[in-house]
Amino acid sequence: MEKIPALVLAVVAVLGTGACRGAPVVAPAPMSAPVAHRIIPAPASIMLAEADSFAITAATAIRVEAGSARVGEQLAEMLRTPTGFPVPVSAAGGSISLELTGAETLGEEGYELRITRDSVALVAHRAAGLFRGVQTLRQMLPPRIEAEESVQSRLPWKIPAGVIRDRPRFAWRGAMLDVARHFFTVQDVKQYIDAIALYKINVLHLHLSDDQGWRIEIASRPRLTQLGGSTQVGGGPGGFYTQREYAEIVRYAADRHITVVPEIDLPGHTNAALVAYPELSCGKQAPALYTGIRVGFSALCPGNEETYRLVDDVVRELAAITPGPYIHVGGDEVEALTPADYARFIERVQEIVTRHGKRMIGWEEVAKGRLRPSTIVQQWRSDSAAAAAVRQGVKLILSPASRAYLDMRYTRGTMLGLNWAGFVEVRDAYGWDPASFFPGVTEADVIGVEAPLWSETVKNMTAVQFMAFPRLPAIAEIGWSPAAAKDWESFRVRLAAQAPRWEMMGVNFHRSPQIPWP
Ligand code: NGO
């Protein structure tokens, strides 16, 4: 702020439109909405002087230092194509600077943006913070910044002057993609990573195995993918990632400061594994490949030592190709085992994951076992399970199906998806708070939120996008923005402003009647 005393800073509170809460909504035309009304998730603090602005021109250059060079290059790439400007990146100088001189209090992902008529200074403590700040800049530029060819003639490229200070409320803001029910290619997953990065999502959870398919190569157990990867829901050809392809996804995500969390669902949801290794089922009968969408019928036999040798092989290989600290072991919906057998199984798997140097994550059912304090429980269905996990002293990821499941249908009128947890319109996805949603669960118990996209009915990327947009940005804001900045009237206007951007990006979305689309 020091550098722009001459500016009369208009305080554009993100809460600003809240006054009309409950009243009939007279929404401003989103395209003419102030820039503050375009940013999702809402920054922690934003002061803009809309009358003054920084313009990107043919002379714009980006100044970086060693630790900010990659993000500087990413920003330059974002600007070059649509503007047609050269946008050089160097240590020598430039009107846009990316610095890692930010205070430690900005944390891993916080950043500050100081924008004057002459310069843009983006400051963070870590490169991830710079990357998040670039997403804010991206949203402050006109939607045609997303164009895939030069639209230079349509100047100007302006960013309003002001100061933004921002950092996330929760450390975990995840998106889960089920690549087991329907398989998605490496290219598909990269496309999803690009779309979620725009909303400052920092975890991609890949659901890599289920009854219908095993999707990750395990070199010591080739039959898992040879047999278990050969089909999907509806009987299509399925598919799997080689370890090299998986590493490519991990690298692509890391480049966007997104951690990949691989999930192998155990001991249930294992029909595909049992097709490959029938001796691991208690009945020792080889099941047939499964292409339906029932759940709960399959389980690895917990009394068979061979089961733990398979789990060890899988976890060892997965740990070796996963730089992130977590391995998700599922644990949901096991109807075929006694509670005692289930609990013992989970505790042994927890030891295996720990031995391979990773932290275990499991769906809420795993809290029936005795958990290490480092284990993380992912709530999805019940509130009592969440409270039970908290009593064990573990932290929670919240994915309440009635709010955060991106595979639920929006309304009776939208046909794609399931509705066992009800219909989830945008306002439902937005209208809850992690610190007060469950009795016995406080903000300190929660490490964050995650939006799972299960793919029983979701067959291609057009469908993935339709289910994720606009609900994923709602979950992203719940995870990032301070509780005090949460405001439906403000959010729906900012959401409407995403439409031209998504159209430019080729991202399909649900035109919810709750949103004043342009
Ligand atoms: C449940 C189930 C999944 C389904 C999903 C569909 C969990 C954790 N287990 O969520 O197997 O695909 O619902 O919404």
Side-chain angles (χ1 to χ4, degrees), residues 174-178 192 205 207 363 378-380 397-401 403-408 449-455 467-468 471-472 475:
M176 189 208 85
L177 188 61
D178 172 7
Y192 198 51
H205 167 182
H207 184 75
W363 296 106
Q378 184 163 14
Q379 180 283 335
W380 64 281
I397 299 163
L398 300 186
S399 301
R403 306 294 187 151
Y405 267 31
L406 301 179
D407 59 313
M408 290 301 119
V449 293
E450 186 172 298
L453 180 34
W454 301 94
S455 62
M467 300 308 268
R471 290 180 293 198
L472 183 89
I475 303 301

PDB file of all heavy atoms in Angstrom, residues 174-178 192 205 207 363 378-380 397-401 403-408 449-455 467-468 471-472 475:
ATOM      1  N   GLY A 174      -9.424 -29.951  -1.814  1.00  0.00           N
ATOM      2  CA  GLY A 174      -9.220 -31.035  -2.762  1.00  0.00           C
ATOM      3  C   GLY A 174     -10.335 -31.204  -3.778  1.00  0.00           C
ATOM      4  O   GLY A 174     -11.465 -30.753  -3.585  1.00  0.00           O
ATOM      5  N   ALA A 175      -9.959 -31.879  -4.872  1.00  0.00           N
ATOM      6  CA  ALA A 175     -10.933 -32.355  -5.851  1.00  0.00           C
ATOM      7  C   ALA A 175     -10.599 -33.825  -6.083  1.00  0.00           C
ATOM      8  O   ALA A 175      -9.420 -34.169  -6.212  1.00  0.00           O
ATOM      9  CB  ALA A 175     -10.814 -31.578  -7.151  1.00  0.00           C
ATOM     10  N   MET A 176     -11.608 -34.691  -6.048  1.00  0.00           N
ATOM     11  CA  MET A 176     -11.374 -36.109  -6.314  1.00  0.00           C
ATOM     12  C   MET A 176     -11.993 -36.505  -7.640  1.00  0.00           C
ATOM     13  O   MET A 176     -13.107 -36.093  -7.947  1.00  0.00           O
ATOM     14  CB  MET A 176     -11.989 -36.984  -5.209  1.00  0.00           C
ATOM     15  CG  MET A 176     -11.581 -38.443  -5.336  1.00  0.00           C
ATOM     16  SD  MET A 176     -12.831 -39.585  -4.660  1.00  0.00           S
ATOM     17  CE  MET A 176     -13.915 -39.753  -6.094  1.00  0.00           C
ATOM     18  N   LEU A 177     -11.243 -37.280  -8.414  1.00  0.00           N
ATOM     19  CA  LEU A 177     -11.782 -37.808  -9.667  1.00  0.00           C
ATOM     20  C   LEU A 177     -11.744 -39.336  -9.600  1.00  0.00           C
ATOM     21  O   LEU A 177     -10.702 -39.933  -9.319  1.00  0.00           O
ATOM     22  CB  LEU A 177     -10.956 -37.290 -10.847  1.00  0.00           C
ATOM     23  CG  LEU A 177     -11.516 -37.594 -12.236  1.00  0.00           C
ATOM     24  CD1 LEU A 177     -12.893 -36.967 -12.447  1.00  0.00           C
ATOM     25  CD2 LEU A 177     -10.554 -37.092 -13.317  1.00  0.00           C
ATOM     26  N   ASP A 178     -12.910 -39.945  -9.858  1.00  0.00           N
ATOM     27  CA  ASP A 178     -13.033 -41.412  -9.892  1.00  0.00           C
ATOM     28  C   ASP A 178     -12.686 -41.869 -11.312  1.00  0.00           C
ATOM     29  O   ASP A 178     -13.492 -41.703 -12.230  1.00  0.00           O
ATOM     30  CB  ASP A 178     -14.471 -41.772  -9.503  1.00  0.00           C
ATOM     31  CG  ASP A 178     -14.814 -43.251  -9.671  1.00  0.00           C
ATOM     32  OD1 ASP A 178     -13.912 -44.047  -9.967  1.00  0.00           O
ATOM     33  OD2 ASP A 178     -16.008 -43.586  -9.487  1.00  0.00           O
ATOM     34  N   TYR A 192      -8.466 -31.466 -16.378  1.00  0.00           N
ATOM     35  CA  TYR A 192      -9.165 -31.211 -15.112  1.00  0.00           C
ATOM     36  C   TYR A 192      -8.253 -30.439 -14.161  1.00  0.00           C
ATOM     37  O   TYR A 192      -8.690 -29.508 -13.489  1.00  0.00           O
ATOM     38  CB  TYR A 192      -9.622 -32.540 -14.487  1.00  0.00           C
ATOM     39  CG  TYR A 192     -10.704 -32.373 -13.430  1.00  0.00           C
ATOM     40  CD1 TYR A 192     -11.859 -31.630 -13.698  1.00  0.00           C
ATOM     41  CD2 TYR A 192     -10.580 -32.948 -12.179  1.00  0.00           C
ATOM     42  CE1 TYR A 192     -12.850 -31.474 -12.738  1.00  0.00           C
ATOM     43  CE2 TYR A 192     -11.572 -32.803 -11.208  1.00  0.00           C
ATOM     44  CZ  TYR A 192     -12.709 -32.058 -11.498  1.00  0.00           C
ATOM     45  OH  TYR A 192     -13.697 -31.898 -10.545  1.00  0.00           O
ATOM     46  N   HIS A 205      -7.134 -35.845  -5.674  1.00  0.00           N
ATOM     47  CA  HIS A 205      -7.271 -37.205  -5.147  1.00  0.00           C
ATOM     48  C   HIS A 205      -7.751 -38.067  -6.305  1.00  0.00           C
ATOM     49  O   HIS A 205      -8.791 -37.788  -6.891  1.00  0.00           O
ATOM     50  CB  HIS A 205      -8.268 -37.102  -3.972  1.00  0.00           C
ATOM     51  CG  HIS A 205      -8.827 -38.377  -3.447  1.00  0.00           C
ATOM     52  ND1 HIS A 205      -9.760 -38.377  -2.429  1.00  0.00           N
ATOM     53  CD2 HIS A 205      -8.623 -39.671  -3.750  1.00  0.00           C
ATOM     54  CE1 HIS A 205     -10.099 -39.620  -2.139  1.00  0.00           C
ATOM     55  NE2 HIS A 205      -9.427 -40.429  -2.931  1.00  0.00           N
ATOM     56  N   HIS A 207      -9.094 -41.614  -7.444  1.00  0.00           N
ATOM     57  CA  HIS A 207      -9.688 -42.882  -6.986  1.00  0.00           C
ATOM     58  C   HIS A 207      -9.304 -43.937  -8.034  1.00  0.00           C
ATOM     59  O   HIS A 207      -9.925 -44.047  -9.082  1.00  0.00           O
ATOM     60  CB  HIS A 207     -11.205 -42.690  -6.884  1.00  0.00           C
ATOM     61  CG  HIS A 207     -11.933 -43.872  -6.345  1.00  0.00           C
ATOM     62  ND1 HIS A 207     -11.920 -44.216  -5.011  1.00  0.00           N
ATOM     63  CD2 HIS A 207     -12.723 -44.795  -6.959  1.00  0.00           C
ATOM     64  CE1 HIS A 207     -12.671 -45.291  -4.826  1.00  0.00           C
ATOM     65  NE2 HIS A 207     -13.163 -45.658  -5.992  1.00  0.00           N
ATOM     66  N   TRP A 363     -11.673 -43.237   4.141  1.00  0.00           N
ATOM     67  CA  TRP A 363     -13.050 -42.742   4.294  1.00  0.00           C
ATOM     68  C   TRP A 363     -13.485 -42.966   5.737  1.00  0.00           C
ATOM     69  O   TRP A 363     -12.894 -43.772   6.464  1.00  0.00           O
ATOM     70  CB  TRP A 363     -13.979 -43.457   3.306  1.00  0.00           C
ATOM     71  CG  TRP A 363     -13.637 -43.172   1.867  1.00  0.00           C
ATOM     72  CD1 TRP A 363     -13.026 -44.018   0.988  1.00  0.00           C
ATOM     73  CD2 TRP A 363     -13.868 -41.950   1.141  1.00  0.00           C
ATOM     74  NE1 TRP A 363     -12.860 -43.406  -0.241  1.00  0.00           N
ATOM     75  CE2 TRP A 363     -13.369 -42.136  -0.178  1.00  0.00           C
ATOM     76  CE3 TRP A 363     -14.434 -40.719   1.467  1.00  0.00           C
ATOM     77  CZ2 TRP A 363     -13.431 -41.135  -1.157  1.00  0.00           C
ATOM     78  CZ3 TRP A 363     -14.493 -39.729   0.491  1.00  0.00           C
ATOM     79  CH2 TRP A 363     -14.000 -39.937  -0.814  1.00  0.00           C
ATOM     80  N   GLN A 378     -11.583 -39.034   6.058  1.00  0.00           N
ATOM     81  CA  GLN A 378     -12.388 -38.246   5.113  1.00  0.00           C
ATOM     82  C   GLN A 378     -13.866 -38.536   5.344  1.00  0.00           C
ATOM     83  O   GLN A 378     -14.372 -39.601   4.999  1.00  0.00           O
ATOM     84  CB  GLN A 378     -11.986 -38.571   3.671  1.00  0.00           C
ATOM     85  CG  GLN A 378     -12.728 -37.707   2.662  1.00  0.00           C
ATOM     86  CD  GLN A 378     -12.084 -37.703   1.287  1.00  0.00           C
ATOM     87  OE1 GLN A 378     -11.220 -38.546   0.993  1.00  0.00           O
ATOM     88  NE2 GLN A 378     -12.495 -36.782   0.441  1.00  0.00           N
ATOM     89  N   GLN A 379     -14.549 -37.566   5.939  1.00  0.00           N
ATOM     90  CA  GLN A 379     -15.987 -37.678   6.196  1.00  0.00           C
ATOM     91  C   GLN A 379     -16.726 -37.635   4.865  1.00  0.00           C
ATOM     92  O   GLN A 379     -16.364 -36.874   3.986  1.00  0.00           O
ATOM     93  CB  GLN A 379     -16.399 -36.515   7.115  1.00  0.00           C
ATOM     94  CG  GLN A 379     -17.854 -36.467   7.505  1.00  0.00           C
ATOM     95  CD  GLN A 379     -18.753 -35.931   6.405  1.00  0.00           C
ATOM     96  OE1 GLN A 379     -18.294 -35.192   5.550  1.00  0.00           O
ATOM     97  NE2 GLN A 379     -20.016 -36.324   6.415  1.00  0.00           N
ATOM     98  N   TRP A 380     -17.788 -38.453   4.731  1.00  0.00           N
ATOM     99  CA  TRP A 380     -18.590 -38.341   3.504  1.00  0.00           C
ATOM    100  C   TRP A 380     -20.082 -38.502   3.729  1.00  0.00           C
ATOM    101  O   TRP A 380     -20.891 -37.905   3.045  1.00  0.00           O
ATOM    102  CB  TRP A 380     -18.109 -39.318   2.424  1.00  0.00           C
ATOM    103  CG  TRP A 380     -18.243 -40.779   2.736  1.00  0.00           C
ATOM    104  CD1 TRP A 380     -17.407 -41.521   3.531  1.00  0.00           C
ATOM    105  CD2 TRP A 380     -19.235 -41.694   2.245  1.00  0.00           C
ATOM    106  NE1 TRP A 380     -17.822 -42.828   3.570  1.00  0.00           N
ATOM    107  CE2 TRP A 380     -18.937 -42.973   2.781  1.00  0.00           C
ATOM    108  CE3 TRP A 380     -20.345 -41.570   1.399  1.00  0.00           C
ATOM    109  CZ2 TRP A 380     -19.706 -44.108   2.513  1.00  0.00           C
ATOM    110  CZ3 TRP A 380     -21.108 -42.702   1.122  1.00  0.00           C
ATOM    111  CH2 TRP A 380     -20.781 -43.951   1.672  1.00  0.00           C
ATOM    112  N   ILE A 397     -10.970 -34.433   6.736  1.00  0.00           N
ATOM    113  CA  ILE A 397     -11.295 -33.757   5.477  1.00  0.00           C
ATOM    114  C   ILE A 397     -12.811 -33.879   5.347  1.00  0.00           C
ATOM    115  O   ILE A 397     -13.348 -34.981   5.516  1.00  0.00           O
ATOM    116  CB  ILE A 397     -10.640 -34.465   4.274  1.00  0.00           C
ATOM    117  CG1 ILE A 397      -9.120 -34.475   4.401  1.00  0.00           C
ATOM    118  CG2 ILE A 397     -11.079 -33.824   2.960  1.00  0.00           C
ATOM    119  CD1 ILE A 397      -8.459 -35.502   3.487  1.00  0.00           C
ATOM    120  N   LEU A 398     -13.496 -32.797   5.089  1.00  0.00           N
ATOM    121  CA  LEU A 398     -14.951 -32.851   4.991  1.00  0.00           C
ATOM    122  C   LEU A 398     -15.410 -32.903   3.531  1.00  0.00           C
ATOM    123  O   LEU A 398     -15.064 -32.033   2.732  1.00  0.00           O
ATOM    124  CB  LEU A 398     -15.584 -31.648   5.688  1.00  0.00           C
ATOM    125  CG  LEU A 398     -15.276 -31.494   7.179  1.00  0.00           C
ATOM    126  CD1 LEU A 398     -16.086 -30.337   7.761  1.00  0.00           C
ATOM    127  CD2 LEU A 398     -15.544 -32.790   7.953  1.00  0.00           C
ATOM    128  N   SER A 399     -16.189 -33.947   3.230  1.00  0.00           N
ATOM    129  CA  SER A 399     -16.795 -34.094   1.902  1.00  0.00           C
ATOM    130  C   SER A 399     -18.247 -34.510   2.046  1.00  0.00           C
ATOM    131  O   SER A 399     -18.652 -35.550   1.525  1.00  0.00           O
ATOM    132  CB  SER A 399     -16.039 -35.168   1.094  1.00  0.00           C
ATOM    133  OG  SER A 399     -14.693 -34.856   0.940  1.00  0.00           O
ATOM    134  N   PRO A 400     -19.060 -33.738   2.788  1.00  0.00           N
ATOM    135  CA  PRO A 400     -20.445 -34.175   2.996  1.00  0.00           C
ATOM    136  C   PRO A 400     -21.164 -34.345   1.654  1.00  0.00           C
ATOM    137  O   PRO A 400     -21.250 -33.395   0.870  1.00  0.00           O
ATOM    138  CB  PRO A 400     -21.052 -33.047   3.842  1.00  0.00           C
ATOM    139  CG  PRO A 400     -20.152 -31.870   3.665  1.00  0.00           C
ATOM    140  CD  PRO A 400     -18.784 -32.416   3.385  1.00  0.00           C
ATOM    141  N   ALA A 401     -21.668 -35.561   1.427  1.00  0.00           N
ATOM    142  CA  ALA A 401     -22.225 -35.880   0.105  1.00  0.00           C
ATOM    143  C   ALA A 401     -23.349 -34.936  -0.290  1.00  0.00           C
ATOM    144  O   ALA A 401     -23.479 -34.568  -1.460  1.00  0.00           O
ATOM    145  CB  ALA A 401     -22.708 -37.328   0.099  1.00  0.00           C
ATOM    146  N   ARG A 403     -23.584 -31.934   0.087  1.00  0.00           N
ATOM    147  CA  ARG A 403     -23.077 -30.595  -0.248  1.00  0.00           C
ATOM    148  C   ARG A 403     -21.917 -30.628  -1.248  1.00  0.00           C
ATOM    149  O   ARG A 403     -21.830 -29.784  -2.127  1.00  0.00           O
ATOM    150  CB  ARG A 403     -22.543 -29.898   1.024  1.00  0.00           C
ATOM    151  CG  ARG A 403     -23.525 -29.831   2.146  1.00  0.00           C
ATOM    152  CD  ARG A 403     -24.681 -28.941   1.764  1.00  0.00           C
ATOM    153  NE  ARG A 403     -25.569 -28.722   2.894  1.00  0.00           N
ATOM    154  CZ  ARG A 403     -26.295 -27.616   3.058  1.00  0.00           C
ATOM    155  NH1 ARG A 403     -26.235 -26.656   2.167  1.00  0.00           N
ATOM    156  NH2 ARG A 403     -27.075 -27.503   4.099  1.00  0.00           N
ATOM    157  N   ALA A 404     -21.011 -31.600  -1.020  1.00  0.00           N
ATOM    158  CA  ALA A 404     -19.727 -31.549  -1.729  1.00  0.00           C
ATOM    159  C   ALA A 404     -19.555 -32.626  -2.802  1.00  0.00           C
ATOM    160  O   ALA A 404     -18.558 -32.613  -3.511  1.00  0.00           O
ATOM    161  CB  ALA A 404     -18.577 -31.650  -0.717  1.00  0.00           C
ATOM    162  N   TYR A 405     -20.516 -33.573  -2.920  1.00  0.00           N
ATOM    163  CA  TYR A 405     -20.378 -34.605  -3.954  1.00  0.00           C
ATOM    164  C   TYR A 405     -20.780 -34.023  -5.309  1.00  0.00           C
ATOM    165  O   TYR A 405     -21.939 -33.676  -5.539  1.00  0.00           O
ATOM    166  CB  TYR A 405     -21.250 -35.823  -3.624  1.00  0.00           C
ATOM    167  CG  TYR A 405     -20.538 -36.911  -2.864  1.00  0.00           C
ATOM    168  CD1 TYR A 405     -19.508 -36.607  -1.969  1.00  0.00           C
ATOM    169  CD2 TYR A 405     -20.874 -38.254  -3.042  1.00  0.00           C
ATOM    170  CE1 TYR A 405     -18.854 -37.608  -1.273  1.00  0.00           C
ATOM    171  CE2 TYR A 405     -20.218 -39.267  -2.335  1.00  0.00           C
ATOM    172  CZ  TYR A 405     -19.218 -38.936  -1.452  1.00  0.00           C
ATOM    173  OH  TYR A 405     -18.567 -39.929  -0.769  1.00  0.00           O
ATOM    174  N   LEU A 406     -19.807 -33.954  -6.193  1.00  0.00           N
ATOM    175  CA  LEU A 406     -20.070 -33.365  -7.506  1.00  0.00           C
ATOM    176  C   LEU A 406     -20.805 -34.331  -8.428  1.00  0.00           C
ATOM    177  O   LEU A 406     -21.170 -33.961  -9.542  1.00  0.00           O
ATOM    178  CB  LEU A 406     -18.755 -32.927  -8.163  1.00  0.00           C
ATOM    179  CG  LEU A 406     -17.916 -31.898  -7.384  1.00  0.00           C
ATOM    180  CD1 LEU A 406     -16.639 -31.577  -8.159  1.00  0.00           C
ATOM    181  CD2 LEU A 406     -18.712 -30.621  -7.134  1.00  0.00           C
ATOM    182  N   ASP A 407     -21.004 -35.586  -7.966  1.00  0.00           N
ATOM    183  CA  ASP A 407     -21.736 -36.533  -8.819  1.00  0.00           C
ATOM    184  C   ASP A 407     -23.227 -36.554  -8.504  1.00  0.00           C
ATOM    185  O   ASP A 407     -23.979 -37.278  -9.144  1.00  0.00           O
ATOM    186  CB  ASP A 407     -21.159 -37.943  -8.702  1.00  0.00           C
ATOM    187  CG  ASP A 407     -21.200 -38.468  -7.278  1.00  0.00           C
ATOM    188  OD1 ASP A 407     -20.791 -37.724  -6.354  1.00  0.00           O
ATOM    189  OD2 ASP A 407     -21.646 -39.615  -7.065  1.00  0.00           O
ATOM    190  N   MET A 408     -23.665 -35.767  -7.501  1.00  0.00           N
ATOM    191  CA  MET A 408     -25.104 -35.692  -7.247  1.00  0.00           C
ATOM    192  C   MET A 408     -25.763 -34.834  -8.330  1.00  0.00           C
ATOM    193  O   MET A 408     -25.179 -33.857  -8.793  1.00  0.00           O
ATOM    194  CB  MET A 408     -25.372 -35.073  -5.862  1.00  0.00           C
ATOM    195  CG  MET A 408     -24.992 -35.961  -4.702  1.00  0.00           C
ATOM    196  SD  MET A 408     -25.863 -37.542  -4.703  1.00  0.00           S
ATOM    197  CE  MET A 408     -24.477 -38.663  -4.844  1.00  0.00           C
ATOM    198  N   VAL A 449     -11.463 -29.249   2.973  1.00  0.00           N
ATOM    199  CA  VAL A 449     -12.649 -29.759   2.282  1.00  0.00           C
ATOM    200  C   VAL A 449     -12.227 -30.402   0.962  1.00  0.00           C
ATOM    201  O   VAL A 449     -11.166 -30.094   0.417  1.00  0.00           O
ATOM    202  CB  VAL A 449     -13.655 -28.623   1.988  1.00  0.00           C
ATOM    203  CG1 VAL A 449     -14.236 -28.072   3.282  1.00  0.00           C
ATOM    204  CG2 VAL A 449     -13.028 -27.498   1.175  1.00  0.00           C
ATOM    205  N   GLU A 450     -13.085 -31.297   0.491  1.00  0.00           N
ATOM    206  CA  GLU A 450     -12.785 -31.922  -0.799  1.00  0.00           C
ATOM    207  C   GLU A 450     -14.089 -32.228  -1.530  1.00  0.00           C
ATOM    208  O   GLU A 450     -15.064 -32.650  -0.919  1.00  0.00           O
ATOM    209  CB  GLU A 450     -11.985 -33.202  -0.588  1.00  0.00           C
ATOM    210  CG  GLU A 450     -11.512 -33.819  -1.887  1.00  0.00           C
ATOM    211  CD  GLU A 450     -10.549 -34.976  -1.658  1.00  0.00           C
ATOM    212  OE1 GLU A 450      -9.464 -34.758  -1.080  1.00  0.00           O
ATOM    213  OE2 GLU A 450     -10.901 -36.099  -2.054  1.00  0.00           O
ATOM    214  N   ALA A 451     -14.073 -32.021  -2.832  1.00  0.00           N
ATOM    215  CA  ALA A 451     -15.246 -32.279  -3.672  1.00  0.00           C
ATOM    216  C   ALA A 451     -15.004 -33.516  -4.527  1.00  0.00           C
ATOM    217  O   ALA A 451     -14.271 -33.454  -5.508  1.00  0.00           O
ATOM    218  CB  ALA A 451     -15.514 -31.065  -4.560  1.00  0.00           C
ATOM    219  N   PRO A 452     -15.608 -34.654  -4.153  1.00  0.00           N
ATOM    220  CA  PRO A 452     -15.414 -35.878  -4.946  1.00  0.00           C
ATOM    221  C   PRO A 452     -16.335 -35.920  -6.168  1.00  0.00           C
ATOM    222  O   PRO A 452     -17.489 -35.519  -6.093  1.00  0.00           O
ATOM    223  CB  PRO A 452     -15.782 -37.005  -3.976  1.00  0.00           C
ATOM    224  CG  PRO A 452     -15.830 -36.374  -2.610  1.00  0.00           C
ATOM    225  CD  PRO A 452     -16.246 -34.949  -2.861  1.00  0.00           C
ATOM    226  N   LEU A 453     -15.789 -36.418  -7.266  1.00  0.00           N
ATOM    227  CA  LEU A 453     -16.594 -36.621  -8.480  1.00  0.00           C
ATOM    228  C   LEU A 453     -16.516 -38.094  -8.845  1.00  0.00           C
ATOM    229  O   LEU A 453     -15.529 -38.553  -9.437  1.00  0.00           O
ATOM    230  CB  LEU A 453     -16.081 -35.711  -9.611  1.00  0.00           C
ATOM    231  CG  LEU A 453     -16.758 -35.735 -10.975  1.00  0.00           C
ATOM    232  CD1 LEU A 453     -18.255 -35.974 -10.894  1.00  0.00           C
ATOM    233  CD2 LEU A 453     -16.522 -34.430 -11.691  1.00  0.00           C
ATOM    234  N   TRP A 454     -17.541 -38.832  -8.426  1.00  0.00           N
ATOM    235  CA  TRP A 454     -17.623 -40.270  -8.725  1.00  0.00           C
ATOM    236  C   TRP A 454     -18.159 -40.422 -10.132  1.00  0.00           C
ATOM    237  O   TRP A 454     -18.972 -39.607 -10.588  1.00  0.00           O
ATOM    238  CB  TRP A 454     -18.536 -40.954  -7.706  1.00  0.00           C
ATOM    239  CG  TRP A 454     -18.071 -40.790  -6.287  1.00  0.00           C
ATOM    240  CD1 TRP A 454     -18.468 -39.829  -5.404  1.00  0.00           C
ATOM    241  CD2 TRP A 454     -17.103 -41.590  -5.608  1.00  0.00           C
ATOM    242  NE1 TRP A 454     -17.806 -39.998  -4.205  1.00  0.00           N
ATOM    243  CE2 TRP A 454     -16.968 -41.072  -4.302  1.00  0.00           C
ATOM    244  CE3 TRP A 454     -16.339 -42.695  -5.965  1.00  0.00           C
ATOM    245  CZ2 TRP A 454     -16.095 -41.610  -3.354  1.00  0.00           C
ATOM    246  CZ3 TRP A 454     -15.485 -43.246  -5.027  1.00  0.00           C
ATOM    247  CH2 TRP A 454     -15.356 -42.716  -3.741  1.00  0.00           C
ATOM    248  N   SER A 455     -17.742 -41.501 -10.809  1.00  0.00           N
ATOM    249  CA  SER A 455     -18.027 -41.527 -12.250  1.00  0.00           C
ATOM    250  C   SER A 455     -18.911 -42.686 -12.703  1.00  0.00           C
ATOM    251  O   SER A 455     -18.776 -43.148 -13.826  1.00  0.00           O
ATOM    252  CB  SER A 455     -16.709 -41.503 -13.022  1.00  0.00           C
ATOM    253  OG  SER A 455     -15.933 -42.654 -12.728  1.00  0.00           O
ATOM    254  N   MET A 467     -20.650 -31.419 -14.219  1.00  0.00           N
ATOM    255  CA  MET A 467     -20.900 -31.692 -12.809  1.00  0.00           C
ATOM    256  C   MET A 467     -20.047 -30.795 -11.895  1.00  0.00           C
ATOM    257  O   MET A 467     -20.457 -30.418 -10.800  1.00  0.00           O
ATOM    258  CB  MET A 467     -20.607 -33.168 -12.485  1.00  0.00           C
ATOM    259  CG  MET A 467     -21.448 -34.163 -13.274  1.00  0.00           C
ATOM    260  SD  MET A 467     -23.214 -33.834 -13.199  1.00  0.00           S
ATOM    261  CE  MET A 467     -23.700 -34.851 -11.805  1.00  0.00           C
ATOM    262  N   ALA A 468     -18.828 -30.481 -12.340  1.00  0.00           N
ATOM    263  CA  ALA A 468     -17.905 -29.721 -11.483  1.00  0.00           C
ATOM    264  C   ALA A 468     -18.186 -28.219 -11.512  1.00  0.00           C
ATOM    265  O   ALA A 468     -17.945 -27.525 -10.520  1.00  0.00           O
ATOM    266  CB  ALA A 468     -16.462 -29.983 -11.914  1.00  0.00           C
ATOM    267  N   ARG A 471     -20.199 -26.066  -9.251  1.00  0.00           N
ATOM    268  CA  ARG A 471     -20.140 -26.411  -7.821  1.00  0.00           C
ATOM    269  C   ARG A 471     -18.730 -26.454  -7.269  1.00  0.00           C
ATOM    270  O   ARG A 471     -18.506 -26.137  -6.094  1.00  0.00           O
ATOM    271  CB  ARG A 471     -20.846 -27.749  -7.573  1.00  0.00           C
ATOM    272  CG  ARG A 471     -22.347 -27.641  -7.745  1.00  0.00           C
ATOM    273  CD  ARG A 471     -23.036 -28.963  -7.491  1.00  0.00           C
ATOM    274  NE  ARG A 471     -22.732 -29.974  -8.486  1.00  0.00           N
ATOM    275  CZ  ARG A 471     -23.468 -31.067  -8.671  1.00  0.00           C
ATOM    276  NH1 ARG A 471     -24.529 -31.306  -7.924  1.00  0.00           N
ATOM    277  NH2 ARG A 471     -23.131 -31.947  -9.597  1.00  0.00           N
ATOM    278  N   LEU A 472     -17.761 -26.856  -8.097  1.00  0.00           N
ATOM    279  CA  LEU A 472     -16.390 -26.916  -7.573  1.00  0.00           C
ATOM    280  C   LEU A 472     -15.895 -25.552  -7.076  1.00  0.00           C
ATOM    281  O   LEU A 472     -15.308 -25.455  -5.997  1.00  0.00           O
ATOM    282  CB  LEU A 472     -15.428 -27.481  -8.618  1.00  0.00           C
ATOM    283  CG  LEU A 472     -14.033 -27.590  -8.028  1.00  0.00           C
ATOM    284  CD1 LEU A 472     -13.825 -28.938  -7.359  1.00  0.00           C
ATOM    285  CD2 LEU A 472     -12.973 -27.331  -9.056  1.00  0.00           C
ATOM    286  N   ILE A 475     -17.089 -25.040  -3.507  1.00  0.00           N
ATOM    287  CA  ILE A 475     -16.320 -25.755  -2.490  1.00  0.00           C
ATOM    288  C   ILE A 475     -14.939 -25.115  -2.328  1.00  0.00           C
ATOM    289  O   ILE A 475     -14.397 -25.004  -1.226  1.00  0.00           O
ATOM    290  CB  ILE A 475     -16.198 -27.257  -2.858  1.00  0.00           C
ATOM    291  CG1 ILE A 475     -17.591 -27.894  -3.037  1.00  0.00           C
ATOM    292  CG2 ILE A 475     -15.380 -28.009  -1.803  1.00  0.00           C
ATOM    293  CD1 ILE A 475     -18.502 -27.834  -1.829  1.00  0.00           C
TER     294      ILE A 475
END
